[in-house]
Amino acid sequence: MKKILPLVFIAGLVFLMMGCKKETETLEPNAATEYFPLTVGKYITYKLDSLVFINFGTTAVVRTFEVKYVNDAQITDNIDTPAYRIVRYIRKTSANPWVADATFWAVNTGKGIDFVENNLRYQKLKTPVRDLYTWKGNSYIDTYSLNSNVKYLFDWDYSYDSVGVASVVGTYNLANTLRVDQRDEIIGNPNDPNSYSEVNYGMEKYAEGIGMVYRRFLHTEYQPPTPGLGGRFVDGSYGVTMTMIDHN
């Protein structure tokens, strides 16, 4: 018995060590970077359809541009985390010169990709990258204070759909893409011009080795007619559709 017990103990210890080693080796890396590569010089060009409301919110107009997002340099963000500066260039058509008009940054957090735009930090992608995985993509954004003008972004549940599925975007046949559903909300009846309504919608597609290839976003808030004032969409109502037309 004195000889058997140590052997049993050693065998059990080896089994536990092998089990721990296997678990360590199968821990998933930040797979989100496969769909949002962060490399200096990487760029994606989009057709941008911008929905705006003019004439005091009474007329909807779609304005079309080309925009190019370029990974310009590796920097640190406002909390000293390694990040990539992304410069956006815009032009009306391909006959016009590119003009830089905005700067963003993207951060590989080790558990996903954060994207900062207009001082708003979105958690665009998260691990694990698998269908139906959800996260609070706007949780870093102030949607609750009295001065917040983006209250409509509160409590959005981002969710993966169609991970690893082929997709056609514009003229591109993409072998491996994923879809992130962000919001699909309708309040009231948008078809009734005499009642209040609000629409919030967000969805993005990403392709392996490329990045975001499609985006559709819509936020509208409609106020019905009141005595002396017709129905109108309030300030801050807008929509964006971005479709990839070029990349490297």
Side-chain angles (χ1 to χ4, degrees):
M1 290 296 293
K2 290 183 180 180
K3 294 182 179 180
I4 295 176
L5 284 175
L7 290 175
V8 171
F9 174 78
I10 293 171
L13 181 60
V14 170
F15 177 79
L16 288 173
M17 291 176 64
M18 291 178 63
C20 291
K21 182 178 181 182
K22 183 177 181 181
E23 181 180 356
T24 300
E25 290 177 346
T26 58
L27 288 177
E28 184 177 14
N30 188 359
T33 59
E34 298 177 15
Y35 293 90
F36 202 129
L38 292 173
T39 306
V40 173
K42 172 72 180 173
Y43 73 82
I44 305 178
T45 306
Y46 305 92
K47 175 189 174 188
L48 168 64
D49 294 317
S50 176
L51 172 67
V52 295
F53 296 89
I54 61 174
N55 298 329
F56 303 102
T58 61
T59 305
V61 176
V62 175
R63 295 170 175 162
T64 300
F65 304 89
E66 290 184 359
V67 291
K68 179 162 65 173
Y69 285 63
V70 180
N71 290 359
D72 178 67
Q74 189 170 8
I75 58 172
T76 55
D77 66 8
N78 57 351
I79 55 174
D80 293 327
T81 302
Y84 284 81
R85 182 174 63 214
I86 299 175
V87 178
R88 185 179 71 182
Y89 297 85
I90 189 168
R91 65 186 180 185
K92 183 62 179 174
T93 69
S94 58
N96 304 119
W98 288 112
V99 177
D101 77 324
T103 301
F104 317 112
W105 67 76
V107 183
N108 176 358
T109 67
K111 297 181 179 180
I113 301 293
D114 288 0
F115 189 80
V116 181
E117 178 178 2
N118 299 325
N119 294 319
L120 303 177
R121 188 172 186 131
Y122 300 88
Q123 299 176 70
K124 291 289 190 176
L125 300 174
K126 294 283 284 186
T127 56
V129 179
R130 62 172 182 243
D131 283 344
L132 304 181
Y133 180 73
T134 64
W135 67 99
K136 299 294 184 181
N138 300 343
S139 60
Y140 293 145
I141 298 173
D142 175 13
T143 60
Y144 43 84
S145 71
L146 291 177
N147 296 325
S148 173
N149 58 3
V150 290
K151 290 183 171 65
Y152 58 88
L153 294 176
F154 173 71
D155 203 35
W156 283 27
D157 287 312
Y158 288 29
S159 176
Y160 287 130
D161 183 20
S162 304
V163 173
V165 174
S167 181
V168 176
V169 175
T171 60
Y172 285 87
N173 293 299
L174 304 168
N176 186 341
T177 67
L178 61 79
R179 170 178 170 142
V180 180
D181 292 315
Q182 301 169 338
R183 192 72 154 188
D184 190 358
E185 175 185 52
I186 297 176
I187 301 171
N189 182 5
N191 296 318
D192 182 1
N194 294 309
S195 66
Y196 174 88
S197 65
E198 183 176 340
V199 176
N200 296 300
Y201 180 85
M203 184 274 286
E204 296 175 350
K205 284 188 177 182
Y206 294 80
E208 183 183 30
I210 300 175
M212 190 186 77
V213 295
Y214 182 81
R215 180 190 183 204
R216 183 165 176 247
F217 178 91
L218 179 64
H219 165 67
T220 61
E221 183 181 345
Y222 176 80
Q223 292 289 347
T226 56
L229 188 63
R232 68 204 183 281
F233 289 91
V234 303
D235 291 343
S237 297
Y238 74 104
V240 171
T241 301
M242 298 171 62
T243 306
M244 183 181 70
I245 57 176
D246 187 30
H247 73 91
N248 66 351

